Amino acid sequence: MTDPLPPVILFIAGALLVPFFKGKWKAGLLLLIPVLGFINLIRMQEGTCWVVPFLDYRLIFGRVDRLSLLFGYIFHIISFIAILYALHVKDDIQHMAGLVYAGSALGAVFSGDLFSFFVFWEMLTVSSIFLIWARRTEASLAAGFRYLLVHAAGGLCLLAGIVLHVNQTGSIELGYLGLNGPGSYLIFFGFGLNCAWPILHPWLTDAYPEATITGTIFLSAFTTKVAVYALARAFPGTEALIWIGAVMTAFPIFYAVIENDLRRVLAYSLINQVGFMVCGIGIGTALAINGAICHAFNDILFKALLFMSMGAVMYRTGKINGTDLGGLYRTMPFTCIFCMVGAASISAFPLFSGFVSKSMVMDAAAAGHMRIIWFMLLFASAGVFHHAGIKIPYFAFFSHDAGLRPKEAPVHMLLAMGIAAFLSVFIGVYPAPLYSLLPYPVEYVPYTAPHVLGQTQLLFFSALAFTLLLLSGIYPAEMRAINLDADWFYRKGGRLFYRAMARTLNPLNEACERLFVTGFIKDIAHLSKDLIARLSLFVMVSLWILTGWRGERLRMKKTNLYEDIMGGICPVGLGAAAGTGFLVLVFVLMKYF
Amino acid sequence: MKNQNEISDIQNSNSTLHTPNSKRYLFDTPRNVKALLGCFYASLLILLIIELFLHKHPHFAWEAWPEFYAVYGFVACVVLVVAAKYILRPLVKRREDYYD
């Protein structure tokens, strides 16, 4: 057998083959790529491989260790699930974009130097944008452009940081960086943007709900998780991350409660879950890092599961707003059950995957005596159950009967959801295999009686709060509206900037045109038309008057001279005289002025 | 403004979408909803009672308080909803065409 290949090559080669296959063969090819990739992955040895010399540096395309391998496993699993879910899509661009996107994410997690990492980082943005644009609506086009601009800015920031860092240290290795010096701050910020830190986050909640049904599954898995990987690689134990993460867990849940578009609710809860990971990386102990990475693994599965169930609803009904849906459990029972498994997992119910990972971060915060952080995380745990755990399934599948009786989701979608649901339950019931893959040895025991009871109480009583608020009518009704977020600054700000520029630059432009194009140039043209003739007349007429010419004859001579010069037919002597006269004039002017 | 591709992405066959049949489903019967709520309230009570017989080993002092998690979960969610409804929504809610 041949040596393993860099995973990114398999995915990109597969993507390039997609247009040449049709029908069942195409489905086979698409599913084969992640399977082959996975076989390739398990044959990879820990260590450094695929080193390419570049200028004075070494580009490393295969830094294989426990951290990168774990992300490698989950990225392959989720690629398979997302591809299976998207098999009905006839649009090759989406399949290709999805494969290149997954390949770039794999390239990024296995790259051992900042240069190749940066290239894959940018490929993530470029390939993912097509999953948004492929929806082919005006809203998705606009959201895609905003997504592109924000990520381009973040990418430039990262690049500037890398240049400064390399200049400062002379090394392009992607290892622990820590916050020291301007370069590392810029890199930190660049990672943070893709991680959807507060205020930098609206690209996510803006663009993901506008992507195609199947594209959102890919989107939810890769960009933010690669950023989590990068933070875990370069900035573990950075204290700022603890607070950033805690804020990330808390603020999106308020938005999620009042949001109407159910996929946007999930986008907010995606930020909330990434907050737990960021917080864990910030705490930086072995338990916390394990918890963060483990939670990233689980989150990819259950978040994809939730997006898939909402995607199936949207695929069958064409609607996604809470105001338009309701009562779908009647005809989409399997989708409903899978959605509830995802909801239970994200809410960290015992026996579901979120329970075995989220609590590691909570315990790490408690072990570090971080009281406020712990309370914020606990608040977020209750809140996430509230909006993702109850609101999503309730408003889509129960609630009032919207009168919709769509068919159950197609088989391949159900299979994809089934795999994700099975894995979420399996990890929740039997976390040992996943724990054995984590970067540090795990001594953590999730299933202790007080922990199980405490978590169950927390969730059941927040469910009670939901029930009582709903029955009493206090629960905010779903409304057709948009909720302002931090993207207001660039959406309105961008327009303001545009208007301000239009108001100042356009008049300036017009003034310049009046002055130079239609004014000055015209005058010059007018003047230079008969400048020589006028100068000659000036010289000659002075001469003629001095030598005694007057009246009608003088006028005739003037007319003849003017016409001769304009017609270019004056005698050589006259021309020479005019030329000499001009030179004399120039000489006099230069001499005395 | 949806074009052809967008529509083909969504299987919207209106003829089959709105055909409420006479079949009664699980929660169409109020009795079933009541039974579900009854089970839910009973399990809440059981959870509260179990805690009294459980030996805890808390990180923080307040984790040992009786029914801490139950109270926190309930209060947190009420605060969340009230804050979102009465503070956040009036601040950020705009018409759907606000940015158009």
Side-chain angles (χ1 to χ4, degrees):
Chain A
M1 283 181 84
T2 53
D3 289 333
L5 287 165
V8 54
I9 290 184
L10 265 173
F11 277 76
I12 291 182
L16 293 177
L17 286 177
V18 167
F20 301 105
F21 287 77
K22 292 261 176 290
K24 285 202 163 58
W25 289 98
K26 180 179 287 185
L29 171 77
L30 287 168
L31 291 173
L32 190 66
I33 293 163
V35 173
L36 277 183
F38 198 82
I39 295 169
N40 180 57
L41 182 69
I42 50 181
R43 292 176 58 234
M44 278 163 54
Q45 303 289 324
E46 281 191 37
T48 304
C49 46
W50 308 312
V51 181
V52 181
F54 173 72
L55 302 178
D56 290 339
Y57 301 105
R58 291 162 69 236
L59 299 187
I60 300 164
F61 290 97
R63 193 252 310 272
V64 186
D65 58 11
R66 294 176 72 84
L67 182 62
S68 52
L69 272 177
L70 190 71
F71 277 92
Y73 294 135
I74 186 60
F75 283 172
H76 276 87
I77 295 171
I78 200 63
S79 304
F80 182 82
I81 292 174
I83 288 170
L84 178 61
Y85 184 80
L87 276 188
H88 67 280
V89 174
K90 297 278 183 286
D91 184 5
D92 276 350
I93 290 175
Q94 289 187 53
H95 291 305
M96 294 173 75
L99 283 170
V100 174
Y101 184 40
S104 316
L106 285 162
V109 296
F110 284 111
S111 58
D113 67 283
L114 288 164
F115 283 179
S116 55
F117 179 82
F118 176 75
V119 171
F120 290 124
W121 185 268
E122 291 299 294
M123 277 170 64
L124 276 175
T125 302
V126 174
S127 50
S128 59
I129 192 100
F130 290 99
L131 297 171
I132 301 166
W133 281 340
R135 178 102 173 264
R136 295 180 172 89
T137 58
E138 269 184 23
S140 70
L141 191 67
F145 273 115
R146 288 193 292 273
Y147 175 92
L148 188 62
L149 285 176
V150 171
H151 279 283
L156 285 177
C157 198
L158 177 62
L159 181 63
I162 290 174
V163 171
L164 283 176
H165 175 78
V166 172
N167 201 18
Q168 190 186 346
T169 63
S171 155
I172 61 164
E173 197 206 338
L174 171 58
Y176 176 77
L177 299 176
L179 284 180
N180 49 14
S184 62
Y185 276 98
L186 284 170
I187 296 176
F188 192 60
F189 183 84
F191 288 170
L193 190 130
N194 269 27
C195 214
W197 285 353
I199 303 174
L200 306 179
H201 71 277
W203 61 266
L204 195 157
T205 49
D206 180 22
Y208 282 14
E210 301 298 344
T212 62
I213 289 172
T214 53
T216 316
I217 320 301
F218 282 99
L219 289 169
S220 74
F222 295 114
T223 302
T224 47
K225 303 310 180 297
V226 171
V228 166
Y229 162 83
L231 287 175
R233 178 68 76 189
F235 299 100
T238 304
E239 201 184 337
L241 289 177
I242 303 176
W243 288 97
I244 293 171
V247 173
M248 277 176 85
T249 62
F251 91 89
I253 57 182
F254 292 96
Y255 271 98
V257 168
I258 54 173
E259 179 57 53
N260 190 17
D261 181 333
L262 295 184
R263 290 206 301 172
R264 191 157 277 130
V265 173
L266 287 178
Y268 277 111
S269 85
L270 176 55
I271 299 175
N272 152 281
Q273 294 299 304
V274 173
F276 281 94
M277 300 164 212
V278 172
C279 189
I281 293 166
I283 295 169
T285 58
L287 175 65
I289 298 279
N290 272 346
I293 304 306
C294 189
H295 200 55
F297 191 100
N298 291 337
D299 177 67
I300 289 176
L301 286 170
F302 58 62
K303 187 54 52 64
L305 178 55
L306 285 166
F307 269 118
M308 284 192 284
S309 64
M310 286 304 106
V313 165
M314 198 173 164
Y315 178 69
R316 283 303 195 204
T317 66
K319 302 169 199 300
I320 195 59
N321 284 342
T323 39
D324 305 328
L325 293 170
L328 295 179
Y329 79 93
R330 295 174 175 83
T331 54
M332 300 182 81
F334 290 110
T335 309
C336 172
I337 289 168
F338 291 140
C339 179
M340 281 160 66
V341 171
S345 302
I346 197 174
S347 321
F349 258 98
L351 301 181
F352 292 90
S353 61
F355 181 77
V356 301
S357 53
K358 193 190 284 180
S359 49
M360 292 168 96
V361 178
M362 300 277 305
D363 267 32
H369 307 291
M370 303 166 188
R371 287 184 208 141
I372 300 172
I373 296 291
W374 187 85
F375 268 112
M376 285 170 83
L377 296 185
L378 194 65
F379 174 73
S381 301
V384 71
F385 177 52
H386 200 92
H387 73 260
I390 309 180
K391 174 171 172 166
I392 291 281
Y394 182 77
F395 283 106
F397 296 102
F398 303 100
S399 188
H400 71 286
D401 183 4
L404 302 169
R405 297 290 183 270
K407 283 193 289 189
E408 180 58 276
V411 176
H412 65 94
M413 284 189 175
L414 288 178
L415 273 176
M417 286 188 267
I419 295 171
F422 169 78
L423 287 172
S424 294
V425 176
F426 179 80
I427 293 168
V429 174
Y430 184 52
L434 177 56
Y435 281 177
S436 72
L437 294 173
L438 292 176
Y440 298 101
V442 178
E443 293 155 14
Y444 182 74
V445 183
Y447 288 104
T448 63
H451 181 205
V452 172
L453 183 77
Q455 180 70 8
T456 317
Q457 280 189 341
L458 184 79
L459 297 180
F460 268 67
F461 279 84
S462 53
L464 176 68
F466 181 85
T467 314
L468 296 182
L469 289 168
L470 200 68
L471 292 177
S472 65
I474 297 173
Y475 195 84
E478 299 296 289
M479 284 183 187
R480 296 194 145 278
I482 57 167
N483 298 311
L484 301 186
D485 202 337
D487 56 349
W488 181 85
F489 291 101
Y490 57 76
R491 293 179 77 167
K492 284 289 177 188
R495 228 166 269 189
L496 190 72
F497 178 76
Y498 181 84
R499 268 192 219 130
M501 288 295 110
R503 290 253 168 85
T504 53
L505 292 186
N506 281 349
L508 195 67
N509 201 10
E510 278 159 21
C512 285
E513 183 168 344
R514 269 201 307 279
L515 186 64
F516 292 105
V517 179
T518 58
F520 187 61
I521 302 281
K522 203 170 155 192
D523 292 344
I524 290 273
H526 184 69
L527 196 65
S528 47
K529 194 176 74 181
D530 57 355
L531 183 69
I532 300 288
R534 277 165 190 274
L535 278 175
S536 308
L537 277 178
F538 174 70
V539 174
M540 292 313 291
V541 168
S542 314
L543 270 177
W544 286 330
I545 290 173
L546 280 180
T547 47
W549 296 90
R550 292 284 186 284
E552 188 61 22
R553 295 186 61 193
L554 179 65
R555 208 162 48 75
M556 244 174 73
K557 275 184 95 66
K558 274 163 75 177
T559 318
N560 285 346
L561 179 66
Y562 185 82
E563 280 169 1
D564 285 354
I565 291 177
M566 292 306 287
I569 49 164
C570 50
V572 176
L574 255 185
T580 315
F582 180 69
L583 285 176
V584 168
L585 184 70
V586 169
F587 175 77
V588 169
L589 286 174
M590 278 174 64
K591 183 93 180 167
Y592 296 103
F593 295 100
Chain B
M1 196 174 287
K2 295 174 175 181
N3 72 6
Q4 204 55 45
N5 287 300
E6 155 74 348
I7 290 164
S8 71
D9 196 23
I10 288 164
Q11 273 237 324
N12 196 347
S13 48
N14 269 320
S15 54
T16 56
L17 258 181
H18 295 277
T19 48
N21 43 23
S22 54
K23 191 176 163 192
R24 286 184 79 81
Y25 294 92
L26 187 61
F27 298 116
D28 288 343
T29 321
R31 201 162 52 94
N32 291 348
V33 178
K34 273 196 181 141
L36 183 76
L37 278 177
C39 289
F40 176 59
Y41 293 136
S43 54
L44 292 176
L45 200 64
I46 294 167
L47 282 173
L48 290 180
I49 294 167
I50 294 177
E51 191 183 330
L52 304 175
F53 301 98
L54 204 69
H55 175 71
K56 291 188 256 186
H57 32 87
H59 278 292
F60 296 116
W62 53 80
E63 283 185 90
W65 296 348
E67 321 298 1
F68 165 75
Y69 281 101
V71 173
Y72 190 85
F74 186 83
V75 172
C77 277
V78 173
V79 170
L80 167 66
V81 169
V82 169
K85 183 179 180 183
Y86 295 107
I87 300 173
L88 187 64
R89 183 171 256 180
L91 282 178
V92 300
K93 201 184 91 167
R94 295 291 184 279
R95 282 152 42 114
E96 268 188 310
D97 57 358
Y98 177 72
Y99 284 120
D100 298 334

